[in-house]
């Protein structure tokens, strides 16, 4: 069964460093998302991406965050200068279609620890 | 997105059915009812969704009240692998991008 894959599974970084989290969505999917989950808290929406541009983003997704689909298969989330509060699980998701009737497929997540 | 209300937790015995309620009294006519679950240390996983009619798939059944103000996710025979947090989420049919807004969900505990 096709799946969304994420790398790395765990990254430890120092505060202020740049981090790139990578995702390979399911191959025929067109809609891509990043979510995050701080330990013990809800899963939070960060950003959605379609047709090579951001379609929607949350208040969390400030200027420190960026997303890119550099080569037609990878979908990346970059955090420019990490803060302690960026420590969380980051989940990538993809969907073959947008809108309310489509289902999202999530990856296993990348755990980011900022020291 | 309209809000949903779910119990914090539910317990079930293995091989028995589990009925997970969800209240969404402010649902609009274009809102789809989605259920996702999150197993420990994993990403969320799609379970089922519906608009007005009851739905069945290999994982579960979704029973939607006639007035659509509530719904119930039914796991027909709980297994230990079904222990997870289950999220009832409304997605606006008028929203082209259809982002999911997760709440706290219901923690399902399955005992052997």
């Amino acid at each position: 069964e096709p799946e969304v894959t994420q790398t790395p599974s765990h990254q430890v970084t120092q505060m202020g460093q740049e981090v790139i989290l990578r995702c390979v969505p399911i191959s025929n999917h067109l809609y891509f998302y990043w979510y995050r989950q701080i330990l013990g808290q809800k899963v939070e929406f960060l950003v959605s991406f379609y047709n090579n541009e951001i379609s929607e983003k949350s208040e969390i997704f400030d200027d420190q965050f960026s997303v890119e689909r550099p080569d037609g298969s990878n979908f990346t989330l970059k955090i420019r200068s990490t803060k302690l509060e960026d420590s969380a699980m980051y989940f990538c998701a993809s969907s073959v279609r947008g809108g309310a009737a489509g289902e999202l497929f999530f990856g296993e997540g990348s755990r980011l620890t900022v020291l | 997105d309209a809000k949903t209300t779910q119990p914090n937790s539910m317990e079930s015995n293995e091989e028995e059915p589990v009925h997970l309620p969800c209240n969404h009294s402010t649902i609009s006519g274009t809102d789809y009812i989605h259920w996702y679950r999150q197993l420990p240390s994993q990403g969320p996983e799609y379970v089922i969704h519906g608009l007005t009619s009851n739905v069945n798939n290999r994982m579960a059944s979704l029973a939607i009240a006639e007035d659509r103000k509530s719904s119930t996710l039914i796991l027909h025979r709980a297994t230990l692998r079904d222990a997870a947090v289950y999220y009832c989420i409304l997605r606006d049919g008028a929203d082209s991008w259809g982002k999911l807004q997760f709440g706290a969900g219901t923690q399902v505990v399955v005992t052997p």
Side-chain angles (χ1 to χ4, degrees):
Chain A
E1 189 171 315
E3 59 181 20
V4 175
T5 57
Q6 292 186 240
T7 54
S9 56
H10 188 193
Q11 179 151 2
V12 181
T13 190
Q14 295 291 325
M15 193 168 54
Q17 295 296 303
E18 177 183 283
V19 160
I20 297 176
L21 305 178
R22 291 183 169 80
C23 169
V24 179
I26 296 172
S27 62
N28 64 332
H29 286 191
L30 300 175
Y31 296 80
F32 312 110
Y33 308 82
W34 282 100
Y35 287 77
R36 79 170 187 190
Q37 187 174 31
I38 295 169
L39 187 63
Q41 296 189 23
K42 298 177 190 177
V43 178
E44 300 173 289
F45 168 76
L46 292 178
V47 66
S48 58
F49 189 86
Y50 170 73
N51 201 27
N52 278 320
E53 57 184 37
I54 290 173
S55 46
E56 191 171 3
K57 59 183 181 179
S58 71
E59 291 176 357
I60 303 167
F61 195 89
D62 62 21
D63 292 344
Q64 293 299 314
F65 291 88
S66 62
V67 288
E68 199 178 32
R69 191 157 155 78
D71 56 13
S73 60
N74 290 287
F75 179 49
T76 62
L77 174 69
K78 185 195 293 188
I79 308 174
R80 227 177 308 278
S81 177
T82 50
K83 307 185 190 86
L84 295 176
E85 54 265 37
D86 293 328
S87 294
M89 280 292 282
Y90 288 81
F91 295 108
C92 173
S94 68
S95 179
V96 69
R97 57 176 170 163
E103 61 187 88
L104 269 63
F105 291 80
F106 285 81
E108 295 286 307
S110 292
R111 178 172 299 284
L112 177 64
T113 302
V114 182
L115 303 175
Chain B
D1 288 330
K3 200 171 170 177
T4 63
T5 305
Q6 300 178 249
N8 290 334
S9 64
M10 290 191 74
E11 279 194 38
S12 175
N13 294 320
E14 199 177 7
E15 297 191 6
E16 289 189 359
V18 183
H19 290 242
L20 299 175
C22 180
N23 285 322
H24 28 79
S25 58
T26 59
I27 191 170
S28 77
T30 56
D31 285 333
Y32 283 74
I33 302 159
H34 281 249
W35 285 82
Y36 281 74
R37 71 180 186 180
Q38 188 174 21
L39 278 63
S41 302
Q42 294 194 25
E45 176 186 28
Y46 168 81
V47 177
I48 201 166
H49 78 278
L51 183 60
T52 56
S53 303
N54 295 344
V55 185
N56 299 296
N57 67 19
R58 63 176 177 81
M59 286 182 74
S61 295
L62 176 59
I64 301 172
E66 203 168 321
D67 64 5
R68 300 186 72 233
K69 292 185 188 298
S70 66
S71 60
T72 303
L73 179 72
I74 303 161
L75 307 177
H76 295 285
R77 285 184 73 209
T79 68
L80 296 178
R81 199 195 170 274
D82 292 321
V85 179
Y86 286 77
Y87 302 99
C88 171
I89 301 170
L90 298 184
R91 297 180 77 191
D92 184 0
D95 176 1
S96 300
W97 314 115
K99 67 177 183 290
L100 294 171
Q101 297 275 32
F102 288 83
T106 297
Q107 175 72 62
V108 170
V109 176
V110 181
T111 50

